[in-house]
């Protein structure tokens, strides 16, 4: 049985465990959480198949390590890496397959770094949710709005407040439930101040990091995403598979992923999407299944790639 080394920087292994479990029937899979260069070298020496999770500092060191030559190398690029100089430092000549989580991520990489991956074979494999473990909550229109995201600039917190102000002006029963820790103290100060200024103290609740997401989703009617950029976000899929209506800011790439009736450009449009008499719980779940954004499909595509290289 071939050995697979899954190499991931400490703190960035959120999206890999289901894949490891799925591959473990066919391969000896070991996850290496990287804290120093020697961890990377040990991981590469262990496996004949190398999975590099994220095109970041770890992948730079790994692809430039002489011991990686002759190994089967798969690198998965998620999102944030394309806005840095890290892709230009990766030794792409040793990468057998580059996986993107959505087409627009590949497009942006090519736009910002033209020619850098011309000689690399690439694939789009969307993130997948385990639909067998997630039951639909069959919600309806209501007043409970969820955000599931770390609090940072990319998630566009100022827009969240403006949308909530618009909703509360319509009906004071609207309540925002935000699951996610602060990553930037600037936003902690800003949000605390502006919530008071907008008189939203009774309409916004911060939960910090949430371990029991199954309980958190219960009773929620909407998932609000105001991000200025995403790859293929799990929070939207996890809401949809539960039948929760997503209301999604039209960041670059959304039109290739979601139905137009779920997208908004302005604060007023977001308010309209939440207050309108249009809610079809089964259609949100069906979209995930129709797009094949499932763990089963994701694993099938990954196993196919491993056999090809």
């Amino acid at each position: 049985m071939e050995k697979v080394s899954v190499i991931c920087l400490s703190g960035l292994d959120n999206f890999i465990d289901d894949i490891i479990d799925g591959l473990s029937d066919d391969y000896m899979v070991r996850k290496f959480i990287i804290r120093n260069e020697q961890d990377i070298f040990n991981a590469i020496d262990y496996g004949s198949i190398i999975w590099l999770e994220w095109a970041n500092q770890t992948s730079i060191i790994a692809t430039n390590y002489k011991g990686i030559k002759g190994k089967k190398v798969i690198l998965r690029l998620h999102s944030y890496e394309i806005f840095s100089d890290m892709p230009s430092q990766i030794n792409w000549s040793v990468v057998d397959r580059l996986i993107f989580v959505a087409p627009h991520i590949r497009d942006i990489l090519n736009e910002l770094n033209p020619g850098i991956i011309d000689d690399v074979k690439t694939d789009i494999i969307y993130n997948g949710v385990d639909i067998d473990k997630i039951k639909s909550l069959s919600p309806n229109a209501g007043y409970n709005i969820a955000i599931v995201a770390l609090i940072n600039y990319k998630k566009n917190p100022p827009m969240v407040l403006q949308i909530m102000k618009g909703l509360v002006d319509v009906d004071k029963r609207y309540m925002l439930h935000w699951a996610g820790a602060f990553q930037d103290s600037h936003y902690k100060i800003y949000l605390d101040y502006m919530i008071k200024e907008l008189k939203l103290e009774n309409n916004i609740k911060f939960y910090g990091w949430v371990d029991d997401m199954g309980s958190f989703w219960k009773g929620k009617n909407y998932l609000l995403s105001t991000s200025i950029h995403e790859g293929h976000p799990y929070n939207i899929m996890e809401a949809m598979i539960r039948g929760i209506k997503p209301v999604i800011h039209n960041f670059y790439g959304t039109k290739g992923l979601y139905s137009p009736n779920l997208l908004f450009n302005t604060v007023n449009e977001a308010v309209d999407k939440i207050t309108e008499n249009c809610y079809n719980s089964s259609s949100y779940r069906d979209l995930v299944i129709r797009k094949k954004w499932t763990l089963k499909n994701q694993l099938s595509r990954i196993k196919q790639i491993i056999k090809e290289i």
Side-chain angles (χ1 to χ4, degrees):
M1 189 176 286
E2 282 193 275
K3 295 179 180 179
V4 179
S5 294
V6 175
I7 302 175
C8 186
L9 195 64
S10 178
L12 291 178
D13 59 329
N14 313 57
F15 310 120
I16 196 64
D17 286 344
D18 284 341
I19 293 174
I20 291 173
D21 289 343
L23 293 178
S24 294
D25 291 337
D26 303 306
Y27 303 94
M28 293 177 61
V29 187
R30 181 176 170 186
K31 180 171 71 172
F32 291 83
I33 299 299
I34 303 304
R35 294 175 178 83
N36 54 58
E37 286 193 6
Q38 190 58 50
D39 287 344
I40 300 173
F41 304 151
N42 293 342
I44 293 172
D45 293 342
Y46 170 82
S48 59
I49 301 169
I50 311 300
W51 178 287
L52 299 173
E53 183 75 344
W54 306 88
N56 57 14
Q57 300 95 331
T58 297
S59 291
I60 293 170
I61 296 170
T63 57
N64 286 284
Y65 172 53
K66 63 181 181 180
I68 204 169
K69 292 182 179 179
K71 308 274 186 173
K72 299 177 182 178
V73 180
I74 299 169
L75 191 155
R76 184 163 70 153
L77 191 156
H78 289 260
S79 176
Y80 86 94
E81 308 100 294
I82 58 178
F83 297 102
S84 72
D85 65 348
M86 291 185 292
S88 66
Q89 299 178 61
I90 288 172
N91 178 12
W92 293 107
S93 67
V94 302
V95 176
D96 295 289
R97 199 65 61 92
L98 171 58
I99 295 174
F100 293 93
V101 298
H104 67 280
I105 301 301
R106 181 169 58 187
D107 294 344
I108 296 172
L109 178 64
N110 283 324
E111 179 181 344
L112 298 179
N113 295 274
I116 194 173
I117 58 168
D118 283 355
D119 297 326
V120 183
K121 191 166 185 179
T122 66
D123 284 277
I124 306 297
I125 301 182
Y126 294 103
N127 293 324
V129 290
D130 191 346
I131 61 174
D132 295 328
K133 292 183 178 179
I134 302 176
K135 294 182 179 180
S136 175
L137 299 174
S138 300
N140 295 301
Y143 299 96
N144 288 307
I145 303 158
I147 293 182
V148 179
L150 295 171
I151 304 173
N152 56 43
Y153 82 96
K154 193 178 79 169
K155 306 305 180 181
N156 201 359
M159 179 176 275
V160 174
L161 296 190
Q162 297 303 314
I163 291 170
M164 282 306 299
K165 175 61 176 171
L167 288 169
V168 171
D169 285 347
V170 173
D171 194 312
K172 295 187 183 300
R173 287 176 291 179
Y174 282 105
M175 184 76 188
L176 178 72
H177 306 264
W178 195 321
F182 282 91
Q183 284 192 313
D184 186 338
S185 57
H186 287 90
Y187 282 113
K188 178 69 168 64
I189 299 299
Y190 172 78
L191 291 175
D192 286 347
Y193 173 73
M194 285 303 299
I195 286 171
K196 292 178 182 177
E197 288 292 300
L198 295 172
K199 296 180 173 55
L200 295 174
E201 296 99 322
N202 296 323
N203 301 94
I204 298 179
K205 181 177 180 180
F206 294 101
Y207 290 72
W209 182 266
V210 175
D211 290 317
D212 185 4
M213 286 303 300
S215 296
F216 174 83
W217 285 114
K218 292 178 181 178
K220 306 305 184 294
N221 309 101
Y222 304 91
L223 181 282
L224 178 61
S225 173
T226 55
S227 295
I228 62 171
H229 169 80
E230 293 287 353
H232 187 227
Y234 275 96
N235 61 345
I236 296 174
M237 283 192 297
E238 290 175 353
M240 294 176 73
I241 206 65
R242 288 176 167 84
I244 296 169
K245 180 178 180 177
V247 180
I248 309 163
H249 186 38
N250 184 21
F251 62 82
Y252 179 81
T254 50
K255 291 180 180 178
L257 297 173
Y258 309 107
S259 302
N261 64 325
L262 302 177
L263 308 180
F264 70 89
N265 289 317
T266 69
V267 168
N268 288 341
E269 288 177 6
V271 172
D272 290 344
K273 294 288 182 187
I274 293 172
T275 58
E276 68 186 1
N277 186 25
C278 180
Y279 202 107
N280 189 339
S281 184
S282 61
S283 72
Y284 313 137
R285 184 178 176 88
D286 290 345
L287 178 63
V288 174
I289 296 170
R290 189 170 71 251
K291 291 274 192 175
K292 297 183 178 180
W293 295 342
T294 65
L295 178 61
K296 181 179 179 179
N297 188 73
Q298 184 184 29
L299 287 170
S300 175
R301 296 273 286 109
I302 289 170
K303 289 179 179 180
Q304 179 184 349
I305 285 173
I306 292 175
K307 289 178 181 179
E308 289 175 358
I309 61 177

